[in-house]
Amino acid sequence: MSGVAYRRGELHVDEVALPGLARSLPTPFYVYSASAMRDRLRGLRAAFAELPVRLFFAVKANSNLAVLRTLHAAGAGMEVVSGGEIRRALAAGVPGAAIVYAGVAKTADEIRLALEVGVAQLNVESVPELERISRVATELGCAAPIALRINPDVAAATHDKIATGRKGDKFGIPFTEAGEVYALAARLGGLRPVGLHMHIGSQITDLASFEAAYRRGADLFRALRGQGFALRRLDLGGGFGVRYADERAVTPADLARLVRRCTEGLDAEIWLEPGRYLVAEAGMLVTSVIYVKDSDERRFVIVDAGMHNLLRPALYNAYHAILPLREMPDTVATPADVVGPVCESSDVLARNRPLPPLQEGDLLAIATAGAYGAVMASDYNSFPSASEVLVDGARWAVVKPRRDAEAQFADEVIPDWLRVATPRSG
């Protein structure tokens, strides 16, 4: 993660010492580096400088308003998958013309919202959705800019639960049916076909997966143009992998060379939708040690962060590096399981990690947590939520406060018939 380093024995994000931050805020908390996000986006923009490329951040990776504002100010549009994410993007200052609306279950109200704010493109996932967009747009008296999301039937080299471009996945229209569906779009009212879209999954580090999909998409784009459809943009989605452990992360230069090779002579604007790539390595989750429990077979480091804050290890068996906030150079590291407070055996953040001797109150940072961390959090077990902090150079601000149990159930209502006195037992 750029901007993260030990200085004078303390882990820093940019110019902010995390131990000092932990003295000001209760743990657990997320901390995001604005400079790291900008650096990632700048690197992509530079690599694609000679290509007609637009970049849209996949909001589902991290929907905090301060994160969205940071990335939009640096030149990114937003790719959203719900009406709620449209409203988030607007609240962050992103205009409708810089928003791409994706998602497999668009309701009539969400489509109406998207058209009223003037989104740049609606990615269409099915024929019923195409017909619904047509009806809503006709009622509003406008032409909806659409791009069919095709399913290229490419099995990306990634976790099964985040692969989206295979024939059996719920996403997209089979690429063999694209011509027929575009012909239907031409007959329906209220539609303006502008492009073709695809997205084969997330955390992909194998360029061969991208190449197979991109070539299939570019070939289909040419064929559709040959059939008379006036398409002008090819939206290749995102999914660019980052380094959690020992992966070979996708580099902007490699990606740009691949896109250039696959789309040579296409005469189309290329749209990309990175999410994890821009924010994962810009974020960390800071947590405190509650207990250290030694058993016959293993050492458990029990911390106040858990699967309710960071679900990825429980859901995907995902790896996140774990770092002490203070360097301990003269200690011997021994294996330990880092586990959270949630009453589930799956609440394990890491297994058999070499860690220095730790005790109650020591602080740890869970790395590469800026994507699919806070956005997937829950109130399970009613532990306080993790606050979120944005760091920019020497400045920091809480951009989402901690929510204690009372705030979590403040909107719950006990019905009148349960407000009667409870009879005493026995």
Side-chain angles (χ1 to χ4, degrees), residues 148-205:
L148 294 191
R149 175 175 180 172
I150 63 159
N151 184 318
D153 193 20
V154 171
T158 188
H159 193 286
D160 177 68
K161 292 182 179 179
I162 52 177
T164 63
R166 302 164 298 187
K167 185 181 294 185
D169 293 323
K170 72 177 182 179
F171 300 95
I173 294 164
F175 75 97
T176 55
E177 300 175 14
E180 178 183 342
V181 177
Y182 267 118
L184 173 62
R187 297 193 299 271
L188 293 172
L191 301 177
R192 179 165 56 89
V194 294
L196 195 66
H197 172 255
M198 66 171 62
H199 176 69
I200 61 171
S202 186
Q203 184 52 17
I204 301 167
T205 59

Side-chain angles (χ1 to χ4, degrees), residues 16-40:
V16 176
L18 292 185
L21 196 56
R23 288 193 292 271
S24 300
L25 298 171
T27 57
F29 61 83
Y30 279 95
V31 56
Y32 310 127
S33 167
S35 63
M37 289 185 274
R38 286 193 295 263
D39 286 348
R40 282 289 206 173

Side-chain angles (χ1 to χ4, degrees), residues 236-258:
L236 297 173
F240 319 133
V242 302
R243 186 182 179 92
Y244 286 98
D246 56 359
E247 304 95 331
R248 182 188 181 278
V250 172
T251 70
D254 287 345
L255 190 62
R257 279 192 293 269
L258 175 60

Side-chain angles (χ1 to χ4, degrees), residues 26-347:
T27 57
F29 61 83
Y30 279 95
V31 56
Y32 310 127
S33 167
S35 63
M37 289 185 274
R38 286 193 295 263
D39 286 348
R40 282 289 206 173
L41 183 60
R42 189 180 301 117
L44 273 179
R45 289 168 65 90
F48 285 97
E50 298 178 1
L51 292 172
V53 167
R54 288 188 67 184
L55 300 173
F56 297 83
F57 172 63
V59 171
K60 62 182 175 289
N62 187 323
S63 61
N64 186 283
L65 296 186
V67 170
L68 304 188
R69 176 70 69 91
T70 297
L71 289 169
H72 180 60
M78 299 291 143
E79 183 257 347
V80 303
V81 297
S82 71
E85 287 191 347
I86 293 175
R87 297 184 188 281
R88 277 185 174 271
L90 295 171
V94 183
I99 296 173
V100 173
Y101 183 24
V104 300
K106 302 178 185 70
T107 67
D109 286 342
E110 289 174 315
I111 293 165
R112 187 172 295 107
L113 171 65
L115 294 175
E116 287 174 343
V117 304
V119 299
Q121 179 174 290
L122 291 89
N123 295 338
V124 181
E125 297 265 1
S126 67
V127 170
E129 184 175 275
L130 182 75
E131 294 170 339
R132 176 173 289 175
I133 293 171
S134 171
R135 288 194 298 271
V136 174
T138 300
E139 291 169 5
L140 293 176
C142 66
I146 63 162
L148 294 191
R149 175 175 180 172
I150 63 159
N151 184 318
D153 193 20
V154 171
T158 188
H159 193 286
D160 177 68
K161 292 182 179 179
I162 52 177
T164 63
R166 302 164 298 187
K167 185 181 294 185
D169 293 323
K170 72 177 182 179
F171 300 95
I173 294 164
F175 75 97
T176 55
E177 300 175 14
E180 178 183 342
V181 177
Y182 267 118
L184 173 62
R187 297 193 299 271
L188 293 172
L191 301 177
R192 179 165 56 89
V194 294
L196 195 66
H197 172 255
M198 66 171 62
H199 176 69
I200 61 171
S202 186
Q203 184 52 17
I204 301 167
T205 59
D206 175 24
L207 288 177
S209 298
F210 287 125
E211 181 159 13
Y214 292 174
R215 288 196 181 280
R216 183 158 284 183
D219 288 345
L220 179 58
F221 189 91
R222 292 186 182 94
L224 291 168
R225 269 212 182 142
Q227 295 172 34
F229 299 108
L231 307 183
R232 62 177 186 269
R233 65 182 69 132
L234 178 60
D235 185 339
L236 297 173
F240 319 133
V242 302
R243 186 182 179 92
Y244 286 98
D246 56 359
E247 304 95 331
R248 182 188 181 278
V250 172
T251 70
D254 287 345
L255 190 62
R257 279 192 293 269
L258 175 60
V259 171
R260 184 181 294 108
R261 188 166 66 246
C262 292
T263 62
E264 187 174 4
L266 199 61
D267 187 28
E269 191 173 73
I270 305 300
W271 287 13
L272 299 173
E273 299 164 352
R276 180 195 315 267
Y277 183 83
L278 295 179
V279 295
E281 295 182 54
M284 307 184 93
L285 176 59
V286 176
T287 183
S288 297
V289 175
I290 304 299
Y291 301 109
V292 177
K293 183 175 78 172
D294 290 299
S295 69
D296 291 340
E297 297 184 353
R298 55 201 327 125
R299 177 169 60 128
F300 293 98
V301 175
I302 304 170
V303 298
D304 59 2
M307 63 186 290
H308 60 307
N309 307 122
L310 181 63
L311 184 59
R312 294 189 71 254
L315 184 60
Y316 305 127
N317 196 31
Y319 178 98
H320 289 264
I322 297 182
L323 308 169
L325 263 58
R326 297 185 187 278
E327 281 189 299
M328 302 180 184
D330 299 323
T331 59
V332 177
T334 56
D337 291 356
V338 180
V339 301
V342 174
C343 193
E344 297 284 350
S345 295
S346 56
D347 186 24

